Amino acid sequence: MRARIVYESMFGNTAAIAEAIADGLRVHADVEVMNVVTAAEMPEPTIDLLVVGGPTHAFGLSRTRTRSDAAAQSDTPVAVDIGIREWLDAALPVSQNTRAAAFGTKAATPKWLPGSAARGAGKRLRRLGYDLADAPVDFLVDGVKGPLVAGELERARAWAQRLAQTEFDRLDHQV
């Protein structure tokens, strides 16, 4: 099985989750991990599973303005012109039975805070014709910049292992 993980990260938390997901998927898949800027320059992949993730900004996927705001708070350079939202909006529809999954990072508190980049990415993936392999999932960050809440890397790895097993079994039954 081949998988590609495409992520957007401002403070490194979503990138860390993407790497943990890659570790979990590697149980059954050849995995490539790339940020959205690199993915935007690549041809459409021939893969079995696309996993997309980004940080939750202003109750959903980031926008140029929210990325600019985050970049002003970051210690490292951050791309502001393209994020998961723009990348998915520019993507071509896919053929039937193409699989994807969505994840996001969001502040752990307050717990009632609405919105989810994962749900936004999942909706866009479905509009493109992807079948979601699992419900979109959020991983929690302490505050705006992080760090990740304790146990979130392990939770991401375990989620990906379950995802990999499910997809491997599905592909094995198609053969």
Side-chain angles (χ1 to χ4, degrees), residues 50 52 88 100-102 120-130 132:
L50 174 65
V52 177
L88 288 173
K123 287 177 187 175
R124 280 176 164 71
L125 288 164
R126 281 191 299 271
R127 267 189 245 135
L128 288 168
Y130 286 96
L132 292 188

Side-chain angles (χ1 to χ4, degrees), residues 59-133:
F59 311 115
L61 290 166
S62 71
R63 294 174 170 82
T64 303
R65 186 187 102 291
T66 64
R67 286 191 295 275
S68 294
D69 292 346
Q73 299 176 49
S74 180
D75 298 329
T76 58
V78 176
V80 297
D81 294 333
I82 186 166
I84 294 298
R85 174 188 300 269
E86 293 82 6
W87 181 69
L88 288 173
D89 286 350
L92 298 172
V94 296
S95 61
Q96 192 173 11
N97 296 322
T98 304
R99 305 282 283 180
F103 72 96
T105 52
K106 68 184 281 183
T109 56
K111 292 183 189 250
W112 54 264
L113 195 63
S116 166
R119 284 196 311 268
K123 287 177 187 175
R124 280 176 164 71
L125 288 164
R126 281 191 299 271
R127 267 189 245 135
L128 288 168
Y130 286 96
D131 292 331
L132 292 188

Side-chain angles (χ1 to χ4, degrees), residues 11 13 73 107 141-146:
F11 303 110
N13 299 302
Q73 299 176 49
V141 176
D142 187 18
V144 172
K145 293 183 179 182

Side-chain angles (χ1 to χ4, degrees), residues 14-40:
T14 310
I17 292 292
E19 290 296 339
I21 290 169
D23 289 344
L25 288 177
R26 285 189 181 106
V27 171
H28 290 292
D30 292 325
V31 182
E32 57 184 357
V33 182
M34 62 186 65
N35 68 44
V36 69
V37 174
T38 302

Side-chain angles (χ1 to χ4, degrees), residues 1 27-29 48 99 161-175:
M1 182 171 78
V27 171
H28 290 292
D48 301 300
R99 305 282 283 180
Q161 286 171 345
R162 285 190 307 274
L163 194 60
Q165 183 66 56
T166 300
E167 290 305 297
F168 180 79
D169 290 347
R170 186 183 68 80
L171 288 170
D172 190 44
H173 285 91
Q174 287 181 347
V175 175

